[in-house]
Amino acid sequence: MNAMKIFYTAAGWLAVVYIAALFCFPVFQVLLTSLQEGGSFTVQHYIKIFTGSVYLRVLFQTLWVSVIATLVSLCLGYSLAYYIASRPVKSQGIWLMAIITPMFMSLTIRFFGWMIFLGKEGPLLQFLQGIGVADKEFTLLFTTAAVVIGIVHYALPFVVLNIYASLKKVEPALLEAATILGASRLTTFCRVTFPLSLPGVFSGGSIAFALAASTFLVPRMLGGPKDMMIANLAYDAIIKIGDMPLGAALSMVLLTLVVLVLVVMNRLERRSHFAK
């Protein structure tokens, strides 16, 4: 017993050192960089971000796209997770494998596929033009809608897995009791299943928002000039302009934004646990 305790204690301290060395220290260095200009302390980069119209527009764009993509991911993810959880046990593994299979492929290749699918010569627009819904000038590629589609594609497997795990924890006896008491399937879902699966909804929503807000590749490949997000702005500030402190400040703003949302979602998830 003492040997196992020593082992787990050592493993715990090793994890702490690992996180401190590879996460906390780099973040601290980025913070220091964002507060320096010419070797002196300054907060002008943060003032510039929160007073400049361009930076505020990109910040709002990031929030807007992240919220929309998160909501769409939750709606689709819950539907898929509920469908999979209601299938026979033997087939659930096959459905889950189908959900996570796209993750085995490079993200760049997947988005190239979306570029082809959403392009003017792609099958989607060819179909819409064929039924008279869209004209030849209409396009989905390089629009905000394409960015949302790409983010949802990226985040959906994580959302499905979290909600599915939460649905599998719902006791079948509770559903049977609701049915015996005369509750319809809709009432049982609204009063029993959905409230008990909220932890998975909040955890899946947290992951979806974090992925959406911090994405760099999706707006770069599927979005247009007006669809730039904070990660792209930070990249341009560092690589194209060569302003390392400004890029660091943008990175810290993005990190703070994501952390605040995750804290709120974590509290909501804890409340849903206590509500049980």
Side-chain angles (χ1 to χ4, degrees):
M1 183 64 69
N2 290 333
M4 291 299 295
K5 184 177 181 180
I6 293 174
F7 172 77
Y8 286 121
T9 302
W13 278 108
L14 183 62
V16 170
V17 172
Y18 176 85
I19 293 174
L22 298 183
F23 179 76
C24 297
F25 181 73
V27 169
F28 181 69
Q29 288 295 316
V30 172
L31 177 61
L32 289 181
T33 303
S34 69
L35 296 172
Q36 293 179 1
E37 182 66 30
S40 60
F41 176 84
T42 180
V43 294
Q44 66 174 355
H45 303 295
Y46 291 97
I47 296 175
K48 184 178 182 180
I49 292 172
F50 289 106
T51 57
S53 58
V54 175
Y55 301 105
L56 289 176
R57 184 189 67 80
V58 173
L59 179 60
F60 176 78
Q61 176 75 9
T62 301
L63 283 171
W64 171 252
V65 171
S66 300
V67 170
I68 295 299
T70 300
L71 292 177
V72 174
S73 298
L74 286 175
C75 291
L76 293 177
Y78 199 101
S79 300
L80 286 170
Y82 185 80
Y83 177 80
I84 295 172
S86 61
R87 297 299 91 193
V89 177
K90 292 183 179 180
S91 64
Q92 290 181 14
I94 299 176
W95 284 103
L96 291 174
M97 181 59 65
I99 292 295
I100 66 174
T101 295
M103 300 173 66
F104 300 155
M105 186 181 298
S106 168
L107 198 59
T108 305
I109 296 177
R110 284 190 272 164
F111 289 149
F112 269 123
W114 278 110
M115 292 177 69
I116 297 172
F117 185 77
L118 299 175
K120 287 188 176 182
E121 302 299 326
L124 178 60
L125 289 189
Q126 292 292 325
F127 171 75
L128 294 178
Q129 291 171 7
I131 62 177
V133 175
D135 55 28
K136 293 184 178 180
E137 300 300 323
F138 179 77
T139 181
L140 282 173
L141 190 60
F142 307 131
T143 64
T144 304
V147 174
V148 172
I149 291 173
I151 294 174
V152 170
H153 169 81
Y154 178 31
L156 191 59
F158 300 97
V159 176
V160 171
L161 292 177
N162 276 273
I163 297 178
Y164 170 80
S166 187
L167 286 171
K168 293 299 291 183
K169 293 180 181 179
V170 178
E171 291 291 340
L174 295 176
L175 305 181
E176 294 177 4
T179 303
I180 292 173
L181 293 174
S184 63
R185 294 187 63 179
L186 179 60
T187 302
T188 301
F189 173 79
C190 295
R191 301 291 296 273
V192 180
T193 305
F194 184 72
L196 293 177
S197 63
L198 281 178
V201 173
F202 290 131
S203 60
S206 300
I207 296 175
F209 183 87
L211 294 175
S214 61
T215 184
F216 169 82
L217 193 59
V218 179
R220 180 70 70 178
M221 296 185 65
L222 302 180
K226 296 182 180 180
D227 299 307
M228 180 177 289
M229 299 175 71
I230 296 181
N232 304 107
L233 204 60
Y235 174 86
D236 291 343
I238 296 173
I239 302 300
K240 294 184 178 181
I241 303 176
D243 194 339
M244 183 70 74
L246 177 59
L250 288 166
S251 301
M252 291 306 303
V253 170
L254 175 59
L255 177 62
T256 303
L257 173 66
V258 172
V259 168
L260 287 176
V261 172
L262 293 182
V263 168
V264 172
M265 297 294 281
N266 184 53
R267 289 195 174 186
L268 292 175
E269 182 181 355
R270 287 186 177 184
R271 286 188 178 183
S272 64
H273 276 294
F274 293 143
K276 293 182 181 182

